[in-house]
Amino acid sequence: MTNEKKQIKLGVFLAGTGHHVASWRHPDAPADASMNLDYFKELAKTAERGKLDMLFLADSLSIDSKSHPNVLTRFEPFTLLAALAQVTSSIGLAATASTTYSEPFHIARQFASLDHISGGRAGWNVVTSSIESTALNFSGEKHLEHHLRYQRAEEFVEVVKGLWDSWEEDAFIRDKETGEFFDQEKMHELNHKGEYFSVRGPLNVARTPQGRPVIIQAGSSGDGKALAAKTAEVIFTAQNHLESAQEFYQSIKQQAAGFGRDPEKIAIMPGIFPVIADTEEEAKAKYQELQDLIIPAVGLQILQNYLGGIDLSAYPLDGPLPELDPEASNAVKSRFKLVQEMAKRDNMTIRELYQYVAGSRGHHIFVGTPEQLADKMQEWVDHKACDGFNIMPPLLPEGLELFVDKVVPILQERGVFRTEYEGATLRGHFGLEQPANRYSKK
Amino acid sequence: MTNEKKQIKLGVFLAGTGHHVASWRHPDAPADASMNLDYFKELAKTAERGKLDMLFLADSLSIDSKSHPNVLTRFEPFTLLAALAQVTSSIGLAATASTTYSEPFHIARQFASLDHISGGRAGWNVVTSSIESTALNFSGEKHLEHHLRYQRAEEFVEVVKGLWDSWEEDAFIRDKETGEFFDQEKMHELNHKGEYFSVRGPLNVARTPQGRPVIIQAGSSGDGKALAAKTAEVIFTAQNHLESAQEFYQSIKQQAAGFGRDPEKIAIMPGIFPVIADTEEEAKAKYQELQDLIIPAVGLQILQNYLGGIDLSAYPLDGPLPELDPEASNAVKSRFKLVQEMAKRDNMTIRELYQYVAGSRGHHIFVGTPEQLADKMQEWVDHKACDGFNIMPPLLPEGLELFVDKVVPILQERGVFRTEYEGATLRGHFGLEQPANRYSKK
């Protein structure tokens, strides 16, 4: 009897005291978590103990001082992951980096260096930076418009991939006798000249252990989905319902096939925000405890930000969401739509919406037992709604420890999650092949 | 009796197989050193065993494929130092970062994050990138002219320092009861609007353990010296003779005083390239062994690069250096001058010059015993030629091990070098005060 059960992919999205906006107020939370290295080291070790595929770090290049305290100040992702690579040996390390406010040469280089430093565990979450005020930190008056950001992103990713091919795997001869250090034929200039960038190369980092760090993408707008279908190997997304998740899943995999890609080689991983306890009642009480810690002004602000800065202060908190024009906002379009849909379908008031969004930031909230969570995860994977999940614990470190100690063993027992790492690269965990260098004749 | 002997500051400039261009061909060299993390970890531990003030990493944002094999491919400095911070606990960690091809927000953030990750050991070697072709990797047609690079650098450093003051030390209240996470009055926007940059801030990293990472500078042209005198706390320089080193020392310290700075709080550290053995004869033989490994074409290319790309192929190798116009070159001016002076003063042929430059890249070559090296170092420090040295071992790891095991104990015995770290920050090692935040009252 062969075990043909579809394996679940699991990431953990690390964020200070947890993904619930009021988590820092919880008695168990280390309130300084977002800049506490020892704390992050413990989280990384816990995740690796759970044999998870990867750690995932978000990022931002500006501050919204009214937002989640976890993201006011935090580590820069490359430095943090290079440090965490030293206390782990197998788990993947995915960092978010923006294509709107950086240069392809820098990003190619930092990920290549991280891939070497971690022995092949780097992943790049490609984002275009949705917060408008970011431009003000980079000598720009105005943030690039949504569609142009995605045009730039596509070219940016192509340049980065090109730079990662600068050196063929066997380029370095290092013959002490003859004095030949490398084979000139196996070093390549990219000589890219495009609309946004002109980059000569070669990159000054050798071919990396993974050949190419894994490309992750989270865009859910039309442009975002197209970019993901074209370039991403892992897709992070916010999906709240089985049906809409199935639609998203099918649509991405079809688009990818249309681009000549193998849909099986793309892992779609919605975020999930699990509140777990031994009984449903305990889990509900736990969730309510966190919700009660939300300060109303903070909650409203987060909802407004989520909608791209639209001012809702004129509307009663316990009334409905007014009609809003998504085109009038430079927000993340998929989020905008999500909130509008929830407001209509479930008749949610502004207060209910901000409580929902503030708590989980629009991601799928699960409240229940470890067994129920394992059921739900398997259901989604079996019904082609996703290939796995990016776990967003509401409260850390507790939420990750519970997941690793209570949920992972159930999944392992059911034969749908690894009991040991099969390899030591992120690409390996996801069953992705080592990409060939475009120049290699082999 | 109090010990009033002037203490020597010591850094080690790490570079793959060592600073000698042919070091990789030496039988003892691990030829893959420049991208070997375990190797760098061992070097870092050795340097810390020697109680050195800091590790120093150069950097470059382009490849000169005909240059030193160590710098063809290498780690990106922030990721490497964040990793090395995990296997060391006291030694300073200085990274080179360019002001010409980056944004102040990114650089401020990466150094701030590294400072947190290392517990206050970060230093920034500010460079303006002298290699012209770098522009081609950053969508630029033409490299910024020398004087403009320094103008940009000065503004860049000011912006970075401003961003490091974004948060006062006691900005974070984290009162779980009241829900007050931070004091809005203690978070500051910079709102910088200058000639090269406009940056709003605040930085999204909390005030760092050192308050500000240590600023290092290596410019030796007029513009470079002015920038160093104005902003640097540590100055790295190439000095070959006691007298010219004394002139440089006095000139920088005077200029710094002119800018209202305390000259005692600036450490001037020339590079030194020590070939050490138990006897002078053995040391000479060791040096010759390395020199004999230089391939003539490589040596000539390095000399040409050193002079800003001037083509010397038409001149006989065993003839004199022709008259060259420094203004016609966009090279590092101080290096240009150094080579011209050596050629004249010592009647050196092109071959002799390339051998000299290729071996040590213009830095002070010392060949002798540990005792003699200790004498020379003390002589320079006592005669106000410098405050210490940046050690550039010709061959690694051997050169660093010898320095730590043979030279450091002599300096310690003479009471001119620490036997234990007094603190755990780079600022502390250099006797620099914690800078006050510009916004803090009292």
Side-chain angles (χ1 to χ4, degrees), chain A residues 171-189:
Chain A
F172 293 96
I173 301 163
R174 303 189 188 102
D175 186 329
K176 291 184 179 185
E177 278 311 305
T178 63
E180 199 179 11
F181 191 75
F182 73 102
D183 181 347
Q184 192 86 38
E185 300 285 302
K186 293 185 173 172
M187 178 191 83
H188 303 278
E189 289 187 355

Side-chain angles (χ1 to χ4, degrees), chain A residues 257-270:
Chain A
F259 290 123
R261 302 183 62 202
D262 177 358
E264 295 293 307
K265 298 295 179 192
I266 299 170
I268 297 181
M269 301 173 72

Side-chain angles (χ1 to χ4, degrees), chain B residues 49-341:
Chain B
R49 177 160 60 77
K51 318 294 176 200
L52 303 197
D53 293 275
M54 64 175 179
L55 307 179
F56 180 95
L57 291 181
D59 196 32
S60 152
L61 298 167
S62 69
I63 284 184
D64 172 6
S65 67
K66 296 192 185 60
S67 180
H68 200 312
N70 277 335
V71 300
L72 270 177
T73 63
R74 51 175 152 190
F75 294 109
E76 182 276 337
F78 289 107
T79 40
L80 178 56
L81 291 183
L84 297 184
Q86 305 316 305
V87 296
T88 54
S89 59
S90 304
I91 195 164
L93 306 166
T96 294
S98 169
T99 56
T100 303
Y101 296 104
S102 193
E103 289 281 338
F105 196 89
H106 286 307
I107 296 294
R109 194 168 172 237
Q110 290 179 300
F111 277 108
S113 190
L114 180 62
D115 206 43
H116 279 283
I117 278 171
S118 62
R121 297 188 278 143
W124 172 23
N125 180 39
V126 179
V127 300
T128 67
S129 298
S130 61
I131 299 169
E132 244 177 285
S133 62
T134 308
L136 303 177
N137 289 334
F138 292 90
S139 301
E141 287 301 310
K142 209 178 165 318
H143 192 54
L144 212 56
E145 188 269 317
H146 188 274
H147 182 64
L148 299 179
R149 291 207 308 275
Y150 276 89
Q151 274 190 354
R152 180 180 156 113
E154 189 176 338
E155 187 181 330
F156 194 114
V157 172
E158 280 315 303
V159 175
V160 169
K161 282 185 179 173
L163 288 170
W164 285 337
D165 281 348
S166 294
W167 296 88
E168 294 182 46
E169 238 160 285
D170 55 351
F172 293 96
I173 301 162
R174 303 190 187 103
D175 185 329
K176 292 184 178 185
E177 278 311 305
T178 63
E180 199 178 11
F181 191 75
F182 73 101
D183 182 346
Q184 192 86 40
E185 301 283 303
K186 293 184 175 174
M187 178 192 82
H188 303 278
E189 288 186 356
L190 181 63
N191 291 315
H192 171 87
K193 283 195 194 304
E195 190 165 350
Y196 292 89
F197 306 104
S198 80
V199 179
R200 190 191 61 176
L203 191 67
N204 55 353
V205 180
R207 182 86 174 158
T208 80
Q210 293 188 104
R212 281 208 303 260
V214 172
I215 306 265
I216 306 168
Q217 233 276 300
S220 295
S221 65
D223 290 332
K225 276 168 69 179
L227 180 66
K230 220 179 269 184
T231 65
E233 298 168 297
V234 175
I235 294 171
F236 180 37
T237 171
Q239 299 293 337
N240 286 269
H241 300 278
L242 182 69
E243 299 70 30
S244 50
Q246 286 171 320
E247 272 170 43
F248 179 82
Y249 187 88
Q250 208 192 355
S251 146
I252 288 278
K253 299 244 168 170
Q254 271 175 358
Q255 274 193 67
F259 290 122
R261 301 182 63 201
D262 177 356
E264 294 293 308
K265 298 295 179 193
I266 299 170
I268 296 181
M269 300 171 74
I272 192 164
F273 180 95
V275 187
I276 321 168
D278 287 341
T279 67
E280 263 189 78
E281 261 179 29
E282 279 176 77
K284 279 181 193 159
K286 228 173 162 176
Y287 184 46
Q288 198 51 50
E289 185 186 2
L290 283 168
Q291 291 291 71
D292 289 345
L293 292 171
I294 301 178
I295 294 163
V298 172
L300 184 63
Q301 185 67 42
I302 289 170
L303 178 61
Q304 291 179 160
N305 291 351
Y306 208 81
L307 294 171
I310 283 176
D311 186 1
L312 295 170
S313 58
Y315 301 94
L317 286 185
D318 294 310
L321 190 70
E323 279 300 323
L324 301 171
D325 177 11
E327 295 307 318
S329 152
N330 200 11
V332 178
K333 297 199 174 172
S334 53
R335 292 185 181 175
F336 199 98
K337 212 173 129 206
L338 185 79
V339 171
Q340 278 193 321
E341 281 174 3

Side-chain angles (χ1 to χ4, degrees), chain A residues 363-434:
Chain A
H363 280 275
H364 186 167
I365 297 173
F366 169 87
V367 183
T369 68
E371 199 78 32
Q372 288 171 332
L373 178 55
D375 291 348
K376 157 100 47 165
M377 292 174 89
Q378 255 193 292
E379 184 199 1
W380 278 48
V381 169
D382 288 345
H383 289 83
K384 293 188 188 297
C386 65
D387 299 298
F389 294 88
N390 205 3
I391 312 298
M392 301 171 65
L395 177 66
L396 284 166
E398 188 235 29
L400 176 59
E401 284 161 5
L402 275 180
F403 187 84
V404 162
D405 294 331
K406 306 271 187 175
V407 184
V408 165
I410 298 171
L411 298 172
Q412 288 171 330
E413 191 143 312
R414 295 181 185 178
V416 295
F417 190 64
R418 70 171 64 84
T419 52
E420 285 304 333
Y421 287 108
E422 308 84 20
T425 69
L426 179 54
R427 206 162 267 288
H429 301 338
F430 278 113
L432 298 167
E433 280 147 30
Q434 189 89 353

Side-chain angles (χ1 to χ4, degrees), chain A residues 140-279:
Chain A
E141 287 300 309
K142 211 177 164 314
H143 192 53
L144 212 56
E145 188 270 317
H146 188 274
H147 182 63
L148 298 180
R149 290 208 307 275
Y150 277 90
Q151 274 189 353
R152 180 180 157 110
E154 190 176 334
E155 188 181 330
F156 194 115
V157 172
E158 280 315 303
V159 175
V160 169
K161 282 185 179 172
L163 289 170
W164 285 336
D165 281 348
S166 294
W167 296 89
E168 295 183 45
E169 239 161 285
D170 54 352
F172 293 96
I173 301 163
R174 303 189 188 102
D175 186 329
K176 291 184 179 185
E177 278 311 305
T178 63
E180 199 179 11
F181 191 75
F182 73 102
D183 181 347
Q184 192 86 38
E185 300 285 302
K186 293 185 173 172
M187 178 191 83
H188 303 278
E189 289 187 355
L190 181 63
N191 290 315
H192 172 87
K193 287 198 192 300
E195 189 164 351
Y196 291 89
F197 306 104
S198 80
V199 178
R200 189 191 62 175
L203 191 67
N204 55 352
V205 181
R207 182 85 174 159
T208 80
Q210 293 188 105
R212 282 207 303 259
V214 173
I215 307 265
I216 306 168
Q217 232 277 301
S220 294
S221 65
D223 289 331
K225 275 168 69 179
L227 180 65
K230 219 178 271 182
T231 66
E233 299 168 296
V234 176
I235 294 171
F236 180 38
T237 170
Q239 299 294 338
N240 286 269
H241 301 279
L242 183 69
E243 299 72 28
S244 48
Q246 285 171 321
E247 273 171 42
F248 179 83
Y249 187 88
Q250 211 193 353
S251 145
I252 287 278
K253 299 245 168 170
Q254 271 174 358
Q255 275 193 66
F259 290 123
R261 302 183 62 202
D262 177 358
E264 295 293 307
K265 298 295 179 192
I266 299 170
I268 297 181
M269 301 173 72
I272 191 164
F273 180 95
V275 186
I276 320 168
D278 287 340
T279 67

Side-chain angles (χ1 to χ4, degrees), chain A residues 29 59 86 101 109-110 176, chain B residues 29 41 59 109-110 176:
Chain A
D59 196 32
Q86 306 314 308
Y101 297 104
R109 193 168 173 238
Q110 289 179 301
K176 291 184 179 185
Chain B
K41 286 183 178 177
D59 196 32
R109 194 168 172 237
Q110 290 179 300
K176 292 184 178 185

